[in-house]
Amino acid sequence: VDMWRAVAAAAAASAPARVLCRAPPLLPPRRWAVSVAVSPAAGLADERVETRVAGLGPGQPVTLRAVAADERGCLFQSCAHYRADSRGELHLGTDASHGGDYTGVEPMGLFWSLAPAGMERPYQRLVPRSTGTPMKVEMLVHQGHSQPGAIPGPVVAKAEVERWFTAPGVRRIRLKEGGVRGSLFLPPGDGPFPGVIDMYGDEGGLIEFRSSLLATHGFAALSLPYFDFEDLPKVMKEFKLEYFEEAARFLQRHPKVKGPGVGVIGTGKGAELALSMITFLPEVVAAVCISGCSSNTVADLHYGEMTLPGLRFDMNKVSVSDAGVFDTFEALDDPTNPANSPCTIPIEKAEGHFLLVVGEDDRMWKSSLYAELAIRRLRQHGKENFELLSYPGAGHRIDPPSTPFCQVAMDRVLGVPVLGGGESKAHAHAQEHSWGKIQEFLHLHLG
């Protein structure tokens, strides 16, 4: 907390110099100035903030805007329409937005509705590439109600917020351990801590922000890339489970990691790999599978003498909208077709526990159906070692809270925009609810 205060104080100390450089906005004379306060001014990216505006006229209409830039300088923004109460105040925790990018009482709405600004390339995600620096979000209060994309009215107040993806004292260790690549995030203190392997999907590379947040919440988290990173294979052609076994053994044996087993969390292709890991690797005792498939897909998976072939995508079953957005919902081969049974992951062999997380409006593929198939398979073998979190209106990529919703995202492999599905408010609520449940599940089964 002291660290955040120091950071906030430093930011506050440098603020007056910036303010002096700008001409004051032209406003009717008022007895007291408009102010916007965001608390905490510096805090963790998965925590809620309180936003309050004071000094407005009773019932005065204002547009609140959030503006942020990613590491490449791409601008993202969001806006919402509010009216001041009889005292000329606003509190986003209790007052409803009447228009803009969302409506209703949404304390974090300006954060999860951030989207590329009009002059930027569409379909980009706002996710941090480095976890050591905060995402800075400027909160602006504008006179009147202005529609998204329109030029807003004069600024009457503003504040800056820092959203950190790692807490003071969390250590990041870059890994080159045997064949294993990635980053290990360790919480402050002696430990030992529950160990979790964290994997994302077919975008490849190293994605660290969920791991660093998990470490902030007391987990030793290994962010594990499995292709398109350093000397790992460039593309998803075939995988050897031995790579993931080596990572699980490394984490399990780490002096800061509690035993006897480790957990794994994965999204998309990462979720499916998590299912294979808990099935075949005794080191893995808990698996969180977000929007995964219960069969092996795309790339063959080898383990010793065994091979799980990959279900294929039929590109003829991809539809393209008038706007050029690709819909892959029907494209994956049917896992229930008996001809595809060799691809099924035999999850009934797993001794550990499963948490299946799905958005019911996932348009990337049929993750709700795949979760049903997984549960049916476990129950057929007399197993009840699973929990299901199924969210109406949520799309494919369910990330930590307040991660901006992105219904359509540029696919790194195909180089085209692909529909992920979901509706922004329902998806944001799914992210917030599931994050707490994921941590509970991991603590329960890893100690």
Side-chain angles (χ1 to χ4, degrees):
V1 175
D2 290 340
M3 185 270 193
W4 300 135
R5 286 202 186 112
V7 170
S14 64
R18 290 203 302 271
V19 173
L20 291 174
C21 305
R22 299 208 178 115
L26 294 169
L27 291 174
R30 297 191 41 96
R31 282 180 303 153
W32 62 103
V34 181
S35 64
V36 56
V38 187
S39 163
L44 288 172
D46 60 349
E47 288 177 356
R48 277 191 178 195
V49 297
E50 289 219 348
T51 306
R52 295 175 185 269
V53 183
L56 297 167
Q60 184 180 338
V62 288
T63 298
L64 264 66
R65 262 175 84 230
V67 181
D70 68 10
E71 280 99 330
R72 294 166 302 187
C74 170
L75 271 184
F76 291 75
Q77 60 182 17
S78 58
C79 76
H81 300 161
Y82 289 92
R83 281 188 187 278
D85 64 15
S86 58
R87 297 189 308 256
E89 294 178 358
L90 261 182
H91 179 212
L92 267 56
T94 51
D95 295 324
S97 162
H98 304 291
D101 289 318
Y102 62 90
T103 56
V105 178
E106 293 293 336
M108 298 301 293
L110 287 167
F111 292 87
W112 54 247
S113 59
L114 282 164
M119 68 286 225
E120 300 289 357
R121 285 203 326 267
Y123 313 135
Q124 297 187 74
R125 284 188 191 284
L126 179 55
V127 288
R129 296 207 181 329
S130 73
T131 55
T133 51
M135 185 186 293
K136 292 182 179 179
V137 183
E138 193 164 36
M139 304 290 264
L140 303 150
V141 183
H142 297 266
Q143 278 184 7
H145 286 166
S146 48
Q147 293 306 317
I151 294 172
V155 175
V156 294
K158 62 182 187 170
E160 191 177 77
V161 193
E162 291 190 351
R163 307 282 284 163
W164 288 80
F165 290 88
T166 186
V170 169
R171 286 171 57 211
R172 172 179 177 267
I173 302 156
R174 280 301 302 278
L175 280 195
K176 259 194 163 157
E177 262 320 301
V180 178
R181 302 291 174 263
S183 297
L184 177 63
F185 290 86
L186 293 174
D190 295 336
F193 309 103
V196 181
I197 292 171
D198 177 26
M199 300 180 294
Y200 270 91
D202 59 8
E203 62 267 58
L206 178 65
I207 302 174
E208 298 177 313
F209 73 101
R210 184 166 62 192
S211 301
S212 64
L213 285 172
L214 283 168
T216 294
H217 292 289
F219 296 94
L222 169 55
S223 183
L224 185 69
Y226 48 92
F227 76 103
D228 195 26
F229 180 72
E230 293 184 355
D231 55 357
L232 295 174
K234 273 277 156 265
V235 292
M236 287 203 302
K237 207 156 110 192
E238 56 179 358
F239 292 121
K240 289 188 163 58
L241 198 63
E242 282 83 356
Y243 172 76
F244 302 91
E245 181 175 53
E246 194 182 341
R249 286 181 177 169
F250 163 78
L251 190 61
Q252 185 196 34
R253 291 171 186 165
H254 194 282
K256 292 263 187 183
V257 172
K258 238 187 218 181
V262 297
V264 57
I265 177 170
T267 297
K269 177 69 188 176
E272 178 197 305
L273 287 163
L275 289 178
S276 292
M277 287 169 75
I278 193 172
T279 297
F280 296 109
L281 308 179
E283 294 85 0
V284 179
V285 298
V288 178
C289 304
I290 302 169
S291 310
C293 183
S294 46
S295 292
N296 186 53
T297 66
V298 184
D300 293 356
L301 180 69
H302 306 285
Y303 186 47
E305 299 294 299
M306 180 212 74
T307 297
L308 284 183
L311 278 183
R312 300 296 180 213
F313 275 97
D314 181 351
M315 293 313 281
N316 295 321
K317 290 185 181 166
V318 175
S319 60
V320 186
S321 75
D322 294 342
V325 174
F326 283 59
D327 184 340
T328 59
F329 189 67
E330 297 289 347
L332 188 67
D333 284 350
D334 179 6
T336 64
N337 178 340
N340 292 325
S341 62
C343 304
T344 307
I345 302 164
I347 55 173
E348 70 280 358
K349 293 182 176 170
E351 293 296 322
H353 289 80
F354 300 89
L355 177 62
L356 307 171
V357 183
V358 295
E360 292 174 20
D361 193 29
D362 184 348
R363 294 294 305 176
M364 194 78 77
W365 60 10
K366 302 176 183 179
S367 54
S368 285
L369 168 69
Y370 305 149
E372 271 174 47
L373 294 175
I375 288 169
R376 194 182 308 165
R377 188 174 182 96
L378 289 170
R379 286 198 163 136
Q380 278 169 351
H381 290 85
K383 297 211 152 186
E384 290 288 333
N385 55 340
F386 63 86
E387 288 174 65
L388 171 67
L389 297 175
S390 186
Y391 295 101
H396 180 71
R397 194 166 141 160
I398 298 172
D399 272 328
S402 303
T403 302
F405 171 68
C406 194
Q407 189 182 49
V408 176
M410 197 56 75
D411 186 279
R412 206 195 55 80
V413 181
L414 300 173
V416 296
V418 173
L419 184 61
E423 179 276 314
S424 59
K425 190 189 289 196
H427 191 89
H429 293 177
Q431 290 193 148
E432 185 154 353
H433 182 264
S434 61
W435 186 234
K437 291 290 185 190
I438 286 166
Q439 291 174 63
E440 278 173 30
F441 170 84
L442 291 171
H443 275 302
L444 177 66
H445 297 294
L446 302 175

